[in-house]
Structure formats: structure tokens, C-alpha cells
Amino acid sequence: MDAVNPATGERIATYEADSQADVEAALARADDAFEAWRERPLREREELLAVAGDVLRENEREYARLMTEEMGKPISQAVSEVEKCAWVCDHYAEHASAYLQPEGHPSPPGADVQTVYEPLGPVLAVMPWNFPFWQVFRFAAPYLTAGNVGLLKHASNVPGCARAIADVFEEAGYPDGVFQTLLVGSDAVDDVLADDRVRAATLTGSGPAGRAVASTAGQELKKTVLELGGSDPFVVLDDADLDEAAETGAWARNLNGGQSCIAAKRFVVHADVYDEFVERFVDEVDSLTVGDPTDEETEVGPQASADLLADLHEQVRASVEAGATVLTGGEPMDREGAFYPPTVLADVPEGCPADSEELFGPVAAVFEVDDEAEAVEKANDTAFGLGASVWTADRERGRRVARDIDAGCTYVNQLVKSDPRVPFGGVGVSGYGRELSEPGIKEFVNRKTLWVE
């Protein structure tokens, strides 16, 4: 597997892919490790997770540099990602015991009835390149602490990150086999998932990848959690603080080069403030610093590969041909590397890519609506249902509109984000299941009824 720097096109390193024999050995280690790990006291598992958080902090610059080199994330955002991974370790190190506390139920005199939470076994995690550390720790922190063991199949363009994450758990003192990285291609996923020793799977990625994993897991009757794509609406109502909405919206669309499932993608703006918002929004987008991702001042780096840039530009080109207007950006940048400028499209026709598809890059589509009801209708005019953001000076109005939008997580006067303290996930073609908080740690456990007479 080659790791290629998208800012320069240069090959950073080459990693030897795991053979079929390597995968078989990893599965055997995971199976063996689970039997002892599940019996390890929960408090000890929490303590090890706290150490993993310490390891992340001690090496944050090294891990951040690796992310920047392999997928182009601006270095300041990469440092923040490592810090967030340490945070999720801290969270479950502190709260796992409370989350997994047995729950009592009404029972007849002389009986004690509880639900207890027991781990399932080895869990396969198929993870993407866009947040190469966070996506992994988002599953590993709760699932391992609940007593499961993890097998990571990471994206093929971030093999160094995949290896580094395995090193974090090893350095923290986790037993051999509790967390392992499989350096394999996507064609190996079905066989691993079908193996009897693998008990469940979680995937963050594209719709086709999610359907493939869900299909195989369904045939094998194995639990899955899927976090797939999104086309999140960013609704600006007529009483919104336009300066704050424009500033936050520009960041919500272009963070991580726009390569985020929960990025704001469709800006749905009330007609009474449309012109003023769009002017401010374009100014904010134009003010973003695009450049070398190793520079601390850079806000938008390259796309993760030249192929991804080409796919994004084809969606923009098709949308413009259909009638969309480019307000800023719209063409690949004339410089070395896979750089695409922050772009804003207006007058977006119904059914064109900018309207109906996920644009996984720094391209915002702006839509004008006449009233609140039409704003909700446009926000829900998508097969996706991951997140949504609503902007208004009236908190109760915001709460009402947010409740009417079909999404797994809705935010009022805030960008959509994942946070260890609250559940995260989507509906529709954005997937199912929840990560983080208490629901996240309980996705891959046996909720066993224990009746003692």
C-alpha cells in the first residue's frame, strides 16, 4: 500500500499488505484475546483507556503530522483531531462503568430482575480516511472498554495512521490481540466479516460500502452500525444573526477541506435575508486561507487525492451545465497538488449533483426559500438524514424547526459536530445505529436479562 502526499503528489512510504495467512492469524489472536479480555474488570479496562489518552497527548504532533502527510488535513486541525481522540478516551474512562451499570426491573416478591451488559466478541471496523484517527477512536474507546476486541480495516490511503493507532493501544499496555490493524483492501472485508469469530461490524463510509457490509452481515445475522454520507442542510431563517451564521457556515462547509459527512452542504436561506446572507457568506468563504497543510495558518488544504478532486469537479461542472451559478471558486487551483478552492453555487437546479448528491469537498450550494415551511421542505428534500443546522434568534422557533427536519442530529445556532457526551448517527441512507455517549457503548453488547428467584 502506497501512502501519497496529496499536497505534493509524492509517495511518502510503502507498506506491505497483510496476506491471507496474516489475516487468519489476526482473527485467531482476536478470538483468543476476547476470552480473557471480557473477564478483565471493567475498572481495569477504563484505566487502560485513560493511558491510551495519555499516549495520544504525548505524541500528538507526530500523529498530526502523519495525518497531514497522508490525507492533507491542515496541521492545526490534525492536532485538534488527536486532542479529540484523547477526549473520547477520557470520557469512557470516566463514564463506562455508569453506562454499563446493570438496570433493575419490576419483579415479583422474592425475585431480582436486571438487564446486564456483556460484550459480543471481535468487532470489525471499516473506517474512512477523512478523520483517520477520530473515526477509529470513536468506535474503539467504547467498544473495547465494554469488553469487545477490535479489528480495524482502515482506508488504504492512510496505512501509516492505521499502524500508528495500533501502536497507541500497544504502548498503553493493552493485551496482544485486543486491538489489531489489518492492512488489507476492500475486497477482503466480506471474508473477514463472514468469519464465525467476528461477531459484529461498524462502518463509516459511502453508501455502497455500507450496503455491502450490511448485506454480508445480514446473511450472517451479525449486528452492524453504519454511519454513511450526508447532505446536511444549513437553514438560515429571517431573524438569524447573519454575521455569525455566515462565519460559522463558511467553516462548517470547509473544515477538513469540506471532506466530512456532517459538513454543511445545502444552505437553505429565507428570501428576506437571502441577498445579505449570501454576500457575507461568500466574503467569509473567500477569506479562508488555502495552502500548504503543514503551515499553521492554513485553513483549507488539498483534497485527499487527485481522483477525489476530479470527481468533485465533475459534480460542479455538471451542476453549472444544468444552470447553477458560480459565485466564487469552481475550478481546480493552478498549483501543485490536489487543491480545489472553496466554492459557492447559487441558482442550483433541482436534480443536479449539487442539489441531489453529496459533494465531498469545499463546495456549498445555496437555495432561496420564501418561508419557514418551505425551508423545512427543502431541508428534507434529500435521501440523506445525518445532521442539520438551524439559525434563528428565537430558540423555541429553532427547536420547532429542528424537530421538523429528518436527521439523526440537529443543532440550533451551532454547526453539526460529534461529541463524546451525546449520541451520534443518522437516518435514511445516512445509516443506522448510534455512536458515542451511552447508546454508543451499548450498541455491541448482549443486553441480557438476568432473573434471580
Side-chain angles (χ1 to χ4, degrees), residues 37-38 40-49 145-147:
W37 183 245
R38 69 183 303 177
R40 193 86 171 250
L42 176 55
R43 185 63 198 136
E44 292 184 14
R45 297 198 296 261
E46 289 175 324
E47 289 169 350
L48 282 171
L49 186 62
T145 308

Side-chain angles (χ1 to χ4, degrees), residues 257-415:
Q259 300 165 121
S260 171
C261 296
I262 55 172
K265 291 166 185 163
R266 294 177 300 125
F267 289 75
V268 180
V269 186
H270 194 289
D272 289 354
V273 295
Y274 178 84
D275 290 339
E276 188 176 357
F277 172 80
V278 169
E279 181 180 358
R280 297 186 193 192
F281 180 57
V282 171
D283 286 346
E284 290 288 346
V285 168
D286 284 341
S287 73
L288 295 170
T289 301
V290 182
D292 179 0
T294 64
D295 188 332
E296 295 284 352
E297 301 302 314
T298 293
E299 295 169 301
V300 180
Q303 300 300 278
S305 73
D307 288 345
L308 291 167
L309 181 147
D311 291 343
L312 177 67
H313 184 56
E314 175 56 30
Q315 290 176 301
V316 171
R317 187 197 61 76
S319 299
V320 172
E321 283 191 358
T325 302
V326 177
L327 301 183
T328 188
E331 291 287 342
M333 299 180 74
D334 185 16
R335 57 176 295 168
E336 181 182 52
F339 287 88
Y340 203 86
T343 296
V344 179
L345 303 178
D347 309 315
V348 177
E350 185 175 349
C352 76
D355 175 61
S356 60
E357 300 175 9
E358 179 179 27
L359 272 59
F360 211 66
V363 180
V366 185
F367 301 86
E368 182 176 1
V369 294
D370 290 332
D371 53 32
E372 181 183 305
E374 189 179 348
V376 170
E377 181 181 2
K378 186 60 186 177
N380 288 334
D381 185 24
T382 177
F384 295 102
L386 193 52
S389 184
V390 178
W391 290 78
T392 172
D394 184 338
R395 288 164 60 94
E396 289 309 309
R397 183 187 191 192
R399 191 186 306 274
R400 182 182 68 249
V401 172
R403 289 287 298 268
D404 287 341
I405 295 176
D406 297 328
C409 44
T410 52
Y411 287 72
V412 178
N413 298 328
Q414 180 61 270
L415 55 79

Side-chain angles (χ1 to χ4, degrees), residues 111-152:
D112 178 64
V113 181
Q114 293 180 322
T115 295
V116 296
Y117 302 98
E118 298 180 351
L120 297 181
V123 176
L124 173 65
V126 182
M127 292 291 113
W129 48 263
N130 57 333
F131 290 92
F133 269 66
W134 170 244
Q135 303 283 14
V136 176
F137 278 89
R138 196 167 75 184
F139 97 80
Y143 299 164
L144 299 188
T145 308
N148 299 294
V149 301
L151 293 159
L152 169 65

